[in-house]
Amino acid sequence: MSVNVLYKTSAKATGGRDGHAATLDGALDVKLTTPKELGGGGGAGNNPEQLFAAGYAACFIGAMKFVASQGGPKVPADTSVTSTVGIGPRSEGGLDVELVVSLPGVPRAEAEALVEKAHQVCPYSNATRGNVDVRLKVA
């Protein structure tokens, strides 16, 4: 299935988990460090799981806003998504994701319905569907 691409970006990484990554336009530039839990030194820097967690959380809010624009409940300005990304042995699936969504003032049943609909349209959710265990929770 082809995608009608509306936006494209490129990033280049060098050195793997203990290296450097940056978008080619210079908007994002990060030092990469392997966490101690994965055998690295930890320290200052980011890792791919942190970047994935941040991207997924932001994208999911965008998906909720899209659903809201199609007749769903309004997404409050103080909405937040906390994305927790874990990594483990590839034999066990590799990644594990939990999204905890806070929609202040939205009744729980409406919030849960909005989250489920957003999970169907979110590009990150679609990319992980069937490959990564993604758990959704409404705070």
Side-chain angles (χ1 to χ4, degrees), residues 45-136:
N46 296 101
N47 61 64
E49 293 72 34
Q50 290 171 323
L51 299 171
F52 184 74
Y56 201 159
C59 189
F60 201 82
I61 291 173
M64 289 190 298
K65 289 179 176 181
F66 172 78
V67 169
S69 76
Q70 305 297 304
K74 185 178 183 310
V75 175
D78 55 350
T79 291
S80 67
V81 173
T82 301
S83 173
T84 302
V85 174
I87 187 169
R90 189 174 56 195
S91 62
E92 296 173 17
L95 294 177
D96 176 82
V97 177
E98 178 181 72
L99 301 178
V100 179
V101 181
S102 173
L103 290 153
V106 178
R108 185 164 197 86
E110 289 181 35
E112 288 172 349
L114 176 65
V115 166
E116 283 299 326
K117 288 177 184 172
H119 190 48
Q120 296 307 308
V121 300
C122 176
Y124 277 65
S125 294
N126 285 319
T128 59
R129 189 167 287 114
N131 299 308
V132 175
D133 182 24
V134 177
R135 291 173 312 287
L136 305 171

Side-chain angles (χ1 to χ4, degrees), residues 8-61:
K8 212 184 255 194
T9 189
S10 297
K12 181 178 181 180
T14 56
R17 287 182 167 273
D18 287 306
H20 176 260
T23 54
L24 298 186
D25 65 6
L28 176 71
D29 192 319
V30 294
K31 177 183 184 300
L32 300 172
T33 305
T34 302
K36 288 181 181 180
E37 298 85 347
L38 296 178
N46 296 101
N47 61 64
E49 293 72 34
Q50 290 171 323
L51 299 171
F52 184 74
Y56 201 159
C59 189
F60 201 82
I61 291 173

